[in-house]
Amino acid sequence: MIPPSFEYVRPGSVEEAVSALASSGDDAKVMAGGQSLIPLLRLRLSYPEVVVDVGRIEALRGVRDEGDHLVIGAMTTHDEVLRDPLVRTHCGLIAEATETVADPAVRHRGTFGGALAHADPAGDLPAVALALDAGFVIEGPGGRRTVPASEFFLDYLQTVLGPDELLVEVRVPKLGAGWGYRYEKFHRVAQSWAIVGVAAVVQRSNGSIASARIGLTNMGATPLRASATEQALAGADLGSIGDAAGHAADGTSPASDLNGAADYRQHLARVLTGRAVTAAARA
Amino acid sequence: MTETVERPARENAVGQPLRRKEDARLVTGRTNWTDNIVLPGMLHMAVLRSPMAHARITRVDVSPALARPGVVAAYSGADLGDANGSIPCVWPVTDDIVMPPHRCLATDEVRYVGDAVAVVIAGNRYEAADALEAIEVDYEPLPPVLEMPAALQDDSPLVHSESGTNKCYTWEFAGGDYEAAKAKADRVFTRHYVNQRLIPMAMEPRAVVANPTGPGGEITLWSATQIPHVLRLLLALVTGIPENRIRVIAPDVGGGFGSKLQLYREEVLAVVIANRLGRPLKWTESRSENAQVTHHGRDQLQEIELAVTNEGKILGLRVDLTANMGAYLHIITPGVPILGAFMFNSIYKMEGYSFSCTGVFTNTTPTDAYRGAGRPEATFAIERIMDDLAAELGVDPIELRRRNWIKHEEFPYTTISGLEYDSGNYEAATERALELLGYDELRREQQERRDRNDPVQLGIGVSTFTEMCGLAPSRLLGSLKYVAGGWEHATVRVLATGAVEVVTGSTPHGQGHVTAWSQIAADALGVDVDAVQVIHGDTGTSPYGMDTYGSRSLVVGGMAVVAAAERVVEKAKLVAAHLLEADPGDLEYKDGAFSVKGSPGSSKTIQEVAFEAFTAHNLPDGVEPTLQANSTIDPATFSYPHGTHLCAIDIDTETGMAKIRKYVCVDDIGKVVNPMIVEGQIHGGLAQGIAQALYEEVVYDAEGNLVTGSLVDYLVPAAPDLPSFVTDRTETPSTTNPLGVKGVGEAGTIASTPAVVNAVVDALRPFGVDDIRMACTPERVWRAINDAKSRGGERVAEGTVAYGGATTDSTAGGAS
């Protein structure tokens, strides 16, 4: 539990961070809250030559209102996110899911952007970002670009972020009137990762469901959308949620591990999707 | 004559829920953990561990590590030569037990993942850890032996090839005549349970600091240990260093649960290497090492059989255990299941009992004592089969127990395993527990949920447990081939100023001895609790002791405090009588002062007497100066706490998630010294017992790698995962010690596991489920609901090894 030695850089601005990354090539690791990276270092599963600690870049912190979007700085801690009045008012799903992340100690250190950039499919926030159609604002040597959540996650722990790029903020569309949401997390002890999680947002219209977006946690190498269920729910009445949820695991191939074999995970995805959509539709 | 002093009557401290004296310091971080200790010139040790479960070592070359920055020394087992000592097993349970060498550093073969191969000594932890990577070891892989039934086959590869067998021992025991009882029985009910392997996972990992620069060549070892006294003796035996030149100190110790009731390789290595280098040396375990190499607990395959009448009267009991020793024997590895042998019959009357246990070597981490040590395993099996038998007979599980338990008017009662239970009242504890749970109401709700096929099913589990505390009568330990005694020592001193020192050999590691001993001594001497200072945990200041484990401290160590304090009062009485010019027989001692019976006007306080004993100016002839006394107590017998635990659990049948709705326990631990400490012990004990039922389980992969090697995969429940416990007590004083106490350190853990699993199974009986393997994970519960015969499956994931290799096919229960 002792990390190998590495060079440590603590830039004061996004520009400095990007240039530090650019000059280090593939051998640098960005450290945000350190809640994933430090355990990897201590277990000697990761041997970066340079650790770029972005924890002191004030510009990356905080939540602001940009009309139809909220913009959440990448270095905003989980605890700040879940207590933020703007997040609670306009993006309650994020607050609800963030409350389930690990334990209070981790939530005070871990960051919103760090959790997304780490891209652990068992993490709660990637599926939430997917369900909310969030946009990922990335800065590199060539400037800024915004990538939709549906394109951000490439594979297990892999994203579109280049080695010289930094996730700086996340743009989250506000849920308007008529939308409900729910995050259903299934885990054995409070501080553990989800065996399966389901993030659902549902738009109601005249007692039926106008549209729904559903993100699945830990059902594959990346967070996934339950597309077949979403299609079945579009325009459907509340009585058909169960049937639609039966398609939640279609096309998924989740891992089998200590916490659940693949068939059990698929079963859980269907049950939890039914519960999440029902709750979101009633909210 | 002295002047008259009006002294207010003093309230007894024993029985008061006093806040622990220890806690202000502990919770504000003003602690002295072993890893906090820094000595001038101190070096750091790191241990290279085997990545393979079983391999022949063909070459170890530490020289590349010596070239690394900061490295002072590096050793393989061969480099240490004769100093590479062997960890002794002090409980050879049979004459023909197989006890292979257990060298500090493996030299010929490695036998589990984590087996120590070499060490590096460097200037700091980082340099030591980096240099480990430079050591070159060539391994020739050997087939690992991971499952107990396979290990006992004739063609199995051998963990210790020179032994010619993987069988460590078979130990047998009988009470009455089981075969005769069976012949009279209407039914014979056999079940196969599995008590899975657990990691004790104390909050503070192990740590040692060895300082060889003491006066007179003394070496001091600070260790995060439960047993500084036993450790000193064992270190002397293993290293050859005279016992009087070793001082062992257990500073603040953050929990042990049996895992620090041990002599570990790193303790020996630190002493030997620090001596060799002449410099202080520290080693602190990582959490990964803690999971991998600090001894594990439990791991038994249990075949249990009840011979009963059709009315559910138990006539006989047969138990056949297979117990996993792991790769090596640690200090009491073979004895742990034997401690349980006397407890399978529990609170029930019967005519015949047959017990057999076979210990088996496998290429896994060694096992040894874990909270309860043999008794939780026994309680689990008997209480599980009682609920299963009740279901089989169609009798309420409480009623089945009533038909078999020892009635309160039958005490003292000698059980079929030969123990004399001095006291108990199972009826009273059970009645109170049923009332607190609302048993009848919940049974009604359970039926309603069953009738309407509710997706949430309710189960109620019962555990009417007893256990044996107060390890242990030395003669009995001798008869069981244990090589030490079970006594405990205390010294009580009243200093010149009247301040009181209590020296105890029972070394705490979180239990609250300082507070409890203060309460006991304060009452025995008639002084304030705050006047008492408790000294412990250092062989330099408390030279005699047998330390803390097996819920022994109060019932043995506490009694030594009482006896020593009584001797102090006896001596003080001689001095007071002299000062009061009275006959000692005419004095009475009350509230800390001596007075002449019938003439209360003149008195001498214990503090005044202590000052006289210090100056020695005016002592009666034949009385030595100073006011102090020792006592070494060897308990005449065990004590037997008992209680009734009831668990109501909700099962979400759609997901398999089990959630405890209500947990009620009514414990009878005799007289209580500090109810707040007792409550804490019960809560913590329940958490650990519930953890075995629902959360914790050691899993190895097919190569013998520990899969549950971190807290990500080994799920230790915390406060949010547990219900609010409903606790109460009945109080049937023990008749075998002056305070009437019984011990409480393990009760919650012993009792709760079967209560919870019984509740899970009870909820699912309508689905045909008669057992679910621990831990009752949501996936296992879900699989059992969908396929009752699977019992949730033996393995948590394909290709893993759990349960020492139990298979579902061999677990068929039912009547014959």
Side-chain angles (χ1 to χ4, degrees):
Chain A
M1 299 285 268
I2 293 179
S5 63
F6 51 82
E7 192 187 333
Y8 175 78
V9 181
R10 195 170 68 200
S13 69
V14 173
E15 295 71 30
E16 283 175 38
V18 169
S19 101
L21 290 171
S23 64
S24 309
D26 286 343
D27 300 322
K29 271 281 183 193
V30 175
M31 185 166 87
Q35 299 305 290
S36 300
L37 181 61
I38 289 176
L40 291 173
L41 294 174
R42 288 170 67 92
L43 292 166
R44 298 200 169 204
L45 294 172
S46 178
Y47 282 74
E49 286 186 7
V50 183
V51 169
V52 180
D53 180 355
V54 296
R56 297 286 174 93
I57 305 178
E58 277 307 308
L60 295 179
R61 287 182 97 108
V63 180
R64 63 181 193 272
D65 192 333
E66 289 199 351
D68 57 354
H69 282 72
L70 288 189
V71 181
I72 304 176
M75 287 302 295
T76 314
T77 67
H78 297 308
D79 190 69
E80 289 163 350
V81 166
L82 70 88
R83 291 173 197 283
D84 189 278
L86 288 171
V87 172
R88 296 196 88 88
T89 305
H90 301 294
C91 297
L93 178 63
I94 291 177
E96 188 172 286
T98 302
E99 276 183 326
T100 72
V101 172
D103 54 37
V106 170
R107 293 197 292 268
H108 275 82
R109 289 261 181 196
T111 64
F112 186 70
L116 292 169
H118 185 54
D120 186 338
D124 302 295
L125 298 177
V128 168
L130 211 53
L132 291 174
D133 263 343
F136 290 65
V137 182
I138 295 166
E139 185 159 330
R144 288 196 171 196
R145 61 182 177 130
T146 300
V147 175
S150 58
E151 296 171 17
F152 182 76
F153 303 102
L154 296 181
D155 203 344
Y156 182 71
L157 307 184
Q158 287 181 37
T159 69
V160 298
L161 285 165
D164 53 359
E165 287 186 313
L166 192 66
L167 175 64
V168 291
E169 57 195 31
V170 180
R171 299 174 60 80
V172 189
K174 292 178 181 174
L175 283 183
W179 285 84
Y181 59 83
R182 178 71 147 212
Y183 186 63
E184 282 283 336
K185 180 173 183 172
F186 192 82
H187 53 163
R188 287 176 56 203
V189 298
Q191 62 172 10
S192 64
W193 273 272
I195 298 172
V196 175
V198 176
V201 292
V202 174
Q203 185 184 28
R204 290 150 313 202
S205 175
N206 298 325
S208 62
I209 294 172
S211 66
R213 293 195 302 270
I214 299 161
L216 302 176
T217 297
N218 215 10
M219 287 298 290
T222 65
L224 299 172
R225 288 276 286 270
S227 308
T229 299
E230 292 177 3
Q231 284 161 21
L233 286 171
D237 59 43
L238 299 182
S240 58
I241 291 175
D243 288 343
H247 295 287
D250 289 5
T252 63
S253 52
S256 287
D257 59 30
L258 290 185
N259 289 312
D263 64 328
Y264 178 58
R265 281 206 161 87
Q266 291 181 321
H267 168 77
L268 285 178
R270 292 187 283 266
V271 171
L272 299 174
T273 297
R275 292 178 182 182
V277 171
T278 301
R282 281 186 192 147
Chain B
M1 299 289 279
T2 49
E3 74 273 32
T4 302
V5 181
E6 281 301 320
R7 294 168 53 82
R10 137 178 219 291
E11 196 180 2
N12 275 343
V14 168
Q16 302 293 325
L18 300 185
R19 288 193 180 177
R20 302 201 323 169
K21 289 180 166 187
E22 295 91 334
D23 287 344
R25 201 171 59 80
L26 289 172
V27 301
T28 54
R30 296 186 182 89
T31 38
N32 186 30
W33 311 114
T34 301
D35 190 46
N36 295 142
I37 294 169
V38 177
L39 299 176
M42 188 171 75
L43 299 169
H44 292 259
M45 180 169 78
V47 182
L48 183 70
R49 301 187 182 281
S50 170
M52 311 184 90
H54 198 192
R56 187 167 292 117
I57 301 171
T58 55
R59 187 177 72 100
V60 185
D61 184 1
V62 300
S63 58
L66 293 170
R68 291 295 187 98
V71 174
V72 172
Y75 305 102
S76 66
D79 297 334
L80 287 179
D82 289 345
N84 186 26
S86 186
I87 303 296
C89 168
V90 302
W91 202 341
V93 294
T94 60
D95 290 334
D96 60 351
I97 186 172
V98 173
M99 298 209 295
H102 181 186
R103 298 277 165 207
C104 289
L105 295 174
T107 50
D108 54 343
E109 289 180 15
V110 286
R111 295 185 174 85
Y112 67 101
V113 175
D115 209 349
V117 175
V119 291
V120 167
I121 315 299
N124 65 48
R125 293 188 71 185
Y126 295 87
E127 291 167 343
D130 285 342
L132 282 187
E133 297 184 346
I135 296 175
E136 294 172 7
V137 186
D138 291 342
Y139 295 106
E140 190 178 292
L142 295 168
V145 181
L146 299 172
E147 311 205 340
M148 287 191 279
L152 291 172
Q153 300 291 317
D154 286 342
D155 58 352
S156 171
L158 296 173
V159 177
H160 296 274
S161 52
E162 73 283 3
S163 302
T165 176
N166 289 320
K167 189 175 98 170
C168 176
Y169 68 88
T170 295
W171 189 89
E172 290 172 331
F173 173 76
D177 186 340
Y178 175 69
E179 288 304 324
K182 186 177 174 181
K184 288 199 300 188
D186 296 322
R187 297 162 173 251
V188 176
F189 188 68
T190 310
R191 303 287 284 145
H192 294 83
Y193 300 120
V194 176
N195 212 275
Q196 83 274 31
R197 176 180 284 241
L198 300 176
I199 299 175
M201 207 63 91
M203 185 91 80
E204 181 207 18
R206 292 185 293 127
V208 295
V209 174
N211 181 14
T213 65
E218 179 188 271
I219 184 159
T220 302
L221 182 76
W222 288 264
S223 182
T225 182
Q226 295 173 225
I227 53 163
H229 300 90
V230 177
L231 189 56
R232 178 166 80 150
L233 169 65
L234 294 173
L235 282 170
L237 294 174
V238 173
T239 64
I241 299 170
E243 193 179 356
N244 57 8
R245 283 192 222 152
I246 302 173
R247 177 181 179 187
V248 178
I249 301 174
D252 287 323
V253 178
F257 312 112
S259 75
K260 295 171 183 170
L261 162 54
Q262 197 54 273
L263 170 69
Y264 281 104
R265 292 162 148 182
E266 295 85 359
E267 291 168 322
V268 177
L269 290 167
V271 165
V272 166
I273 295 170
N275 251 351
R276 187 174 281 207
L277 299 176
R279 288 174 69 176
L281 182 63
K282 179 190 281 187
W283 172 79
T284 300
E285 178 180 66
S286 70
R287 180 58 68 189
S288 305
E289 286 177 299
N290 179 266
Q292 203 168 57
V293 305
T294 294
H295 76 239
H296 291 174
R298 316 277 192 263
D299 208 346
Q300 290 183 0
L301 306 181
Q302 307 178 313
E303 179 175 314
I304 178 168
E305 183 173 278
L306 286 175
V308 297
T309 68
N310 282 331
E311 292 71 43
K313 172 77 187 144
I314 299 170
L315 300 175
L317 165 67
R318 181 180 65 81
V319 174
D320 191 356
L321 298 184
T322 313
N324 202 339
M325 305 287 99
Y328 300 98
L329 298 183
H330 250 303
I331 66 171
I332 60 165
T333 301
V336 169
I338 308 309
L339 275 174
F342 308 94
M343 285 285 107
F344 280 89
N345 52 292
S346 188
I347 63 171
Y348 307 115
K349 297 181 284 190
M350 59 191 72
E351 298 168 14
Y353 174 36
S354 164
F355 175 89
S356 165
C357 175
T358 296
V360 183
F361 290 109
T362 58
N363 290 112
T364 57
T365 303
T367 63
D368 206 309
Y370 172 52
R371 202 170 189 174
R375 293 160 289 160
E377 296 91 320
T379 302
F380 176 76
I382 186 68
E383 290 304 293
R384 276 289 293 116
I385 199 172
M386 289 301 280
D387 266 33
D388 281 359
L389 176 63
E392 173 79 12
L393 297 174
V395 178
D396 181 275
I398 299 284
E399 175 56 27
L400 181 67
R401 287 167 171 84
R402 281 196 189 104
R403 291 178 191 174
N404 288 287
W405 69 34
I406 302 157
K407 295 181 174 58
H408 73 274
E409 64 270 20
E410 293 176 305
F411 290 95
Y413 184 91
T414 300
T415 70
I416 195 70
S417 60
L419 298 176
E420 187 185 272
Y421 291 0
D422 63 285
S423 62
N425 190 332
Y426 310 136
E427 300 94 322
T430 301
E431 283 312 311
R432 181 68 183 137
L434 292 172
E435 183 188 328
L436 287 170
L437 184 75
Y439 186 76
D440 296 337
E441 179 58 33
L442 286 176
R443 283 285 181 214
R444 267 195 296 279
E445 181 188 331
Q446 178 182 49
Q447 194 56 51
E448 288 163 13
R449 286 181 179 274
R450 287 178 175 178
D451 291 346
R452 63 170 186 261
N453 269 336
D454 197 292
V456 176
Q457 288 290 314
L458 172 63
I460 303 167
V462 179
S463 172
T464 51
F465 83 106
T466 189
E467 56 147 332
M468 49 197 250
C469 288
L471 293 175
S474 296
R475 285 182 185 169
L476 181 96
L477 289 177
S479 74
L480 292 173
K481 299 185 185 295
Y482 185 70
V483 301
W487 47 264
E488 194 48 84
H489 183 83
T491 300
V492 172
R493 307 181 190 118
V494 186
L495 304 179
T497 57
V500 176
E501 284 181 342
V502 171
V503 184
T504 178
S506 177
T507 305
H509 48 284
Q511 290 83 356
H513 290 42
V514 168
T515 306
W517 277 211
S518 295
Q519 290 176 261
I520 293 170
D523 279 4
L525 296 173
V527 302
D528 290 341
V529 171
D530 290 338
V532 182
Q533 188 78 5
V534 178
I535 296 165
H536 60 75
D538 179 347
T539 61
T541 55
S542 66
Y544 294 101
M546 295 301 290
D547 305 311
T548 290
Y549 42 83
S551 304
R552 70 186 303 272
S553 292
L554 180 59
V555 281
V556 190
M559 292 317 110
V561 173
V562 171
E566 285 173 352
R567 286 179 186 169
V568 163
V569 172
E570 281 169 32
K571 177 173 180 182
K573 182 182 273 189
L574 298 179
V575 178
H578 178 72
L579 297 171
L580 292 168
E581 296 174 351
D583 187 277
D586 292 336
L587 292 194
E588 64 177 1
Y589 186 61
K590 190 163 179 298
D591 296 341
F594 294 94
S595 58
V596 181
K597 287 176 200 161
S599 141
S602 55
S603 66
K604 281 284 179 191
T605 66
I606 189 88
Q607 291 85 0
E608 289 168 319
V609 172
F611 189 71
E612 289 292 344
F614 168 73
T615 64
H617 294 167
N618 185 19
L619 294 179
D621 291 341
V623 173
E624 292 179 0
T626 75
L627 187 52
Q628 59 173 319
N630 297 317
S631 173
T632 308
I633 291 280
D634 197 352
T637 180
F638 294 102
S639 61
Y640 302 96
H642 70 84
T644 297
H645 288 222
L646 300 173
C647 177
I649 206 158
D650 288 321
I651 304 279
D652 178 344
T653 59
E654 292 177 351
T655 65
M657 180 63 89
K659 188 169 168 47
I660 295 175
R661 190 198 295 187
K662 191 169 183 181
Y663 193 98
V664 169
C665 61
V666 178
D667 286 288
D668 194 325
I669 56 166
K671 287 284 185 187
V672 168
V673 172
N674 185 320
M676 195 186 293
I677 291 177
V678 164
E679 191 75 359
Q681 283 282 12
I682 295 283
H683 279 229
L686 292 176
Q688 273 179 309
I690 291 169
Q692 177 170 22
L694 296 180
Y695 300 110
E696 297 182 14
E697 148 177 43
V698 169
V699 180
Y700 289 96
D701 71 13
E703 282 76 49
N705 295 298
L706 179 65
V707 182
T708 50
S710 82
L711 292 167
V712 172
D713 294 310
Y714 189 83
L715 296 186
V716 177
D721 308 307
L722 296 164
S724 279
F725 302 121
V726 180
T727 64
D728 201 358
R729 291 194 308 274
T730 53
E731 195 170 294
T732 313
S734 168
T735 62
T736 60
N737 64 65
L739 290 187
V741 298
K742 298 181 182 176
V744 72
E746 295 155 303
T749 306
I750 291 168
S752 57
T753 308
V756 175
V757 177
N758 279 339
V760 172
V761 173
D762 183 56
L764 301 181
R765 289 200 194 274
F767 296 89
V769 174
D770 65 358
D771 192 20
I772 294 180
R773 293 298 185 227
M774 295 189 289
C776 300
T777 65
E779 184 178 10
R780 281 206 181 95
V781 171
W782 177 75
R783 290 198 189 282
I785 289 169
N786 290 286
D787 175 8
K789 286 192 179 60
S790 75
R791 296 183 169 90
E794 302 293 355
R795 270 101 171 125
V796 286
E798 206 170 331
T800 62
V801 176
Y803 301 151
T807 57
T808 306
D809 290 341
S810 70
T811 58
S816 63

